[in-house]
Amino acid sequence: MLKIWGRTNSTNVKKALWAAEEVGVPYENIPAGGAHGVVSDPSYRAMNPNGLVPTLEDKDLVLWESNTIVRYVAAQYGQSTLYVDDAATRAKSERWMDWATSTLAGPFRDLFWNQVRVSPEERDDAAMEKGLQACSKLFAIVDTTLASQPYLSGSKFGIGDIPVGCFAYAWFEMAIERPDHPHLESWYERLKSRPAYQKTVMTALT
């Protein structure tokens, strides 16, 4: 059984849990990070020197970095579901994973943190608005791609949909004014029909 360390309200932890659910591999989620602590413990730092979540244990293998964990779970346990043999198709899917981390995560953090995580008295309205405008433009890129294919991974759901899909849930559930992105919205509706998404991603925003 896999062990996935991390708090379930973390976007990065949701990626790992969602991937495990999609491939049907048994796993144990061990709360860590945030109010749970643990990540500063020497035993945890021995696994993950960054003191962040998630961390995955699979027998003697220990992995950190959420996108790496998703790739591993797909390759090791998702040969008939998430993994794609063709290198070009797989690369076009995986680029969305890296884009989510390198491009979307920063402005989304400014928006989400100020909208959800802090009190109205502590809120940085300027940072929140800047994050909202940046995310609106970035999700427009996603919308354009989804105009010509049902999933970011291509014709079928795959690992390329997982990181952006985790952000998309918060994007659509936050009390914000969003521009009209019809293809993004249709894709989000398809994700919401997946039991693994419902279980691991569609949880209370905290």
Side-chain angles (χ1 to χ4, degrees), residues 62-102:
V62 176
L63 288 177
W64 33 270
E65 289 298 327
S66 58
N67 289 349
T68 298
I69 291 171
V70 171
R71 289 183 175 101
Y72 170 75
V73 169
Q76 184 73 359
Y77 298 103
Q79 290 289 336
S80 63
T81 52
L82 286 183
Y83 190 74
V84 176
D85 287 321
D86 181 72
T89 302
R90 192 171 66 248
K92 287 191 289 184
S93 173
E94 288 184 344
R95 66 183 170 184
W96 286 106
M97 304 176 73
D98 298 326
W99 178 86
T101 299
S102 66

Side-chain angles (χ1 to χ4, degrees), residues 10 47 52 59-61 85 114 130 134 156 161 166 202 206:
S10 159
M47 294 190 298
L52 300 173
K59 299 176 183 176
D60 294 332
L61 175 68
D85 287 321
N114 285 289
K130 184 177 179 181
K156 296 180 180 179
D161 297 277
C166 289
M202 298 178 68
T206 57

Side-chain angles (χ1 to χ4, degrees), residues 5-90:
W5 296 75
R7 52 187 173 83
T8 56
N9 65 342
S10 159
T11 296
N12 287 331
V13 174
K14 287 180 177 183
K15 297 179 198 176
L17 297 175
W18 184 9
E21 285 287 339
E22 287 285 351
V23 302
V25 61
Y27 67 90
E28 176 188 6
N29 173 228
I30 304 171
H36 302 288
V38 177
V39 294
S40 295
D41 295 349
S43 58
Y44 187 85
R45 287 298 179 101
M47 294 190 298
N48 186 336
N50 304 288
L52 300 173
V53 292
T55 297
L56 177 140
E57 289 184 85
D58 188 7
K59 299 176 183 176
D60 294 332
L61 175 68
V62 176
L63 288 177
W64 33 270
E65 289 298 327
S66 58
N67 289 349
T68 298
I69 291 171
V70 171
R71 289 183 175 101
Y72 170 75
V73 169
Q76 184 73 359
Y77 298 103
Q79 290 289 336
S80 63
T81 52
L82 286 183
Y83 190 74
V84 176
D85 287 321
D86 181 72
T89 302
R90 192 171 66 248

Side-chain angles (χ1 to χ4, degrees), residues 113-126 128:
W113 188 267
N114 285 289
Q115 179 69 30
V116 176
R117 290 270 169 89
V118 302
S119 67
E121 295 75 23
E122 299 173 304
R123 183 175 294 164
D124 185 335
D125 290 326
M128 185 171 65

